[in-house]
Amino acid sequence: MKVAVFSTKAFDRQFLEAANLGKQHDLVFFDPHLNKDTAVLAADFPAVCIFVNDQVDAATLKVLASCGTKLVALRCAGFNNVDLKAAAEFGLSVVRVPAYSPEAVAEYTIAMILTLNRKLYRAYNRVREGNFSLDGLMGFNLHGRTVGIIGTGRIGAIVTQILQGFGCKLLVYDVYQNPEVEALGVKYVELSEIFSKSDIISLHCPLTPETHHLINADAIEQMKPGVMLINTSRGALINAKAVTRGLKSGKIGSLGLDVYEKESDLFFEDLSDTIIQDDVFLRLTTFPNVLITGHQAFFTEEALRNIAETTLGNINEFEKTGSCKNLIKV
Ligand code: NAD
C-alpha cells in the first residue's frame, strides 16, 4: 500500500524502513505536519501515517477523503488529535499503536521525579562552571512520601509498581479500577484525596473532554503546599496559566513536563535560532524548579521498534481484511 508518512524525523524513517520487510509498502516520507493545508500531499495515497502533533480535524479529513485516503495510521497511542466522528462520516478508518512500551514512559516519569527532586539539571550545569555549592540543591527522600497517580492504565500501573519499590505511599485514581494495581495492595481514592494528600502527583490518563485542564486553579487550591506535579501524558491535562500562578505563589513546589498544551508549534523542532512567541511557555522555562522536555518519554529503541512494527502490521491487516484489531472505534 502507498503510505504518506507525515511529521517524519530521521528516527521515524530508520525504524519504519527497517520494519517494512521486503518493502511490502511504498512509504513516502514528508517532513510537514498533516493538517488541512498539507493534506493534499497525500493525494492518491490510500493510507497516511501520523504522529502526536498532526492535526486531523474535520477539515483535514475532508481533504484526505476527497484525495482517496481510506486509512489514518497513528504511530502513537493517544488519538486526541483525530476527530473520530468526522473520520467515520468521511469513511476513513483510524488505527493506532495501543501499547508500544509503557515501560519507556513509566521509567521516564521516574527519571523526571528524581531529576527534579534532587535537582540534577541544576547540579550538572553548576559543576561544568566550577560551582560546587550545594545551596538550593536539597531534595527529599521518596521513601515514605505520598504519591498520587491519576490514570492507572498501562503506564500508570508501571509507575505505581516502580514507586512502590521506592517505599512510597500510593494513592491512585481512575474511572476504572485496574486489577493489576489492586493486586499491589494500592488504594483507589477520590480525586480530591489525591489532590489534598499527595506530595507528588503524576498524570497518566488520556486527554478527553473530561480530563481537559484537570489540573486547574481549583485543583491546585486543594493541593499540599510544595507539591510536585509531573505530566508525561498530554499537555492540555494542565492549565498552564493556573500552574504558573501556582508556581509563583509557591503552592506548587516543582513541575516536570514532557508535554505542553501548545507543543505542536514547538516540540520536535530545533528552534534555537528563532524567537519563540509563546509567552506562557517561556514563563514556565524561567522557573528554577521547572523541568521541561520536548515529548521524549516514549523515545527508546524498544518503543520505536514496536511502534514501527505495529504500525506496519496495522496497515497490512487493514489492506488484507479492510479492518484491524487496533481500529479506534468512535
Ligand atoms: P491506557 O489507556 O492504558 O491508560 C489510561 C488510563 O486512564 C485508563 O486506565 C483509563 O481508564 C484512565 N482514564 C480515562 N479517563 C480518565 C479520567 N477522566 N480520569 C482518570 N483516569 C482516566 O493509556 P497508557 O498507555 O497508560 O497511556 C496514558 C497516556 O500517556 C496516553 O493517553 C498518552 O496521552 C500518554 N503518552 C505519552 C507519551 C510520551 O511520550 N510522553 C507516550 C505514550 C503515551
Side-chain angles (χ1 to χ4, degrees):
M1 193 181 268
K2 258 181 98 181
V3 185
V5 182
F6 283 86
S7 302
T8 305
K9 297 289 172 205
F11 57 83
D12 294 308
R13 184 186 281 262
Q14 180 194 337
F15 282 88
L16 283 168
E17 282 182 341
N20 191 19
L21 295 171
K23 300 205 183 313
Q24 75 264 42
H25 297 293
D26 182 8
L27 304 180
V28 179
F29 295 94
F30 296 102
D31 291 349
H33 289 325
L34 175 61
N35 57 40
K36 67 176 174 16
D37 300 319
T38 59
V40 287
L41 290 169
D44 299 326
F45 283 81
V48 294
C49 177
I50 63 158
F51 197 45
V52 292
N53 289 324
D54 292 297
Q55 287 166 27
V56 193
D57 52 15
T60 306
L61 287 158
K62 191 175 176 192
V63 180
L64 288 177
S66 69
C67 290
T69 299
K70 294 279 175 229
L71 176 68
V72 176
L74 286 136
R75 52 182 191 278
C76 54
F79 49 87
N80 51 285
N81 53 334
V82 182
D83 184 336
L84 293 177
K85 210 164 148 262
E89 278 164 21
F90 288 117
L92 276 90
S93 300
V94 185
V95 296
R96 66 173 181 141
V97 183
Y100 44 87
S101 179
E103 294 83 5
V105 183
E107 288 171 13
Y108 192 85
T109 303
I110 306 300
M112 276 204 128
I113 293 172
L114 291 171
T115 305
L116 201 50
N117 174 28
R118 304 305 293 268
K119 321 235 176 355
L120 301 186
Y121 56 107
R122 298 187 69 191
Y124 172 81
N125 286 322
R126 278 191 193 184
V127 169
R128 284 164 66 92
E129 291 186 5
N131 176 358
F132 304 102
S133 160
L134 297 184
D135 290 342
L137 300 186
M138 192 165 64
F140 54 82
N141 284 7
L142 282 185
H143 184 92
R145 293 284 173 159
T146 303
V147 185
I149 308 284
I150 301 179
T152 55
R154 296 175 189 90
I155 296 168
I158 299 171
V159 171
T160 306
Q161 199 182 10
I162 298 174
L163 287 173
Q164 212 176 35
F166 274 89
C168 296
K169 293 177 197 146
L170 286 142
L171 298 175
V172 296
Y173 171 78
D174 198 309
V175 285
Y176 298 106
Q177 304 203 346
N178 181 343
E180 276 177 38
V181 173
E182 285 179 311
L184 297 171
V186 171
K187 196 173 154 207
Y188 276 90
V189 297
E190 291 300 319
L191 204 46
S192 56
E193 196 172 336
I194 298 258
F195 291 152
S196 63
K197 293 195 175 157
S198 303
D199 299 299
I200 300 172
I201 296 174
S202 192
L203 307 178
H204 300 288
C205 54
L207 176 62
T208 64
E210 293 73 41
T211 61
H212 182 263
H213 288 186
L214 181 76
I215 304 300
N216 54 23
D218 178 48
I220 295 166
E221 180 64 33
Q222 298 173 53
M223 292 177 195
K224 275 173 107 169
V227 64
M228 177 189 286
L229 205 55
I230 302 285
N231 188 8
T232 58
S233 202
R234 281 293 180 266
L237 294 178
I238 282 183
N239 178 335
K241 286 187 182 159
V243 164
T244 301
R245 285 193 292 275
L247 285 160
K248 284 169 80 175
S249 72
K251 180 81 181 213
I252 297 176
S254 53
L255 174 71
L257 299 180
D258 185 50
V259 286
Y260 171 64
E261 183 164 7
K262 306 253 166 68
E263 68 176 53
S264 62
D265 295 333
L266 303 169
F267 289 1
F268 306 115
E269 304 303 329
D270 178 0
L271 302 179
S272 51
D273 280 333
T274 62
I275 307 295
I276 292 175
Q277 300 296 323
D278 184 336
D279 292 342
V280 177
F281 179 80
L282 288 178
R283 180 67 179 101
L284 284 173
T285 64
T286 64
F287 292 98
N289 49 353
V290 173
L291 172 65
I292 305 179
T293 55
H295 207 137
Q296 70 175 81
F298 73 99
F299 200 54
T300 66
E301 269 177 50
E302 291 83 352
L304 289 173
R305 198 174 306 118
N306 282 342
I307 288 171
E309 287 171 359
T310 307
T311 299
L312 289 172
N314 287 344
I315 296 169
N316 282 343
E317 193 180 336
F318 182 81
E319 188 175 33
K320 285 188 191 129
T321 68
S323 188
C324 176
K325 64 178 177 305
N326 291 325
L327 191 74
I328 310 172
K329 300 195 177 82
V330 184

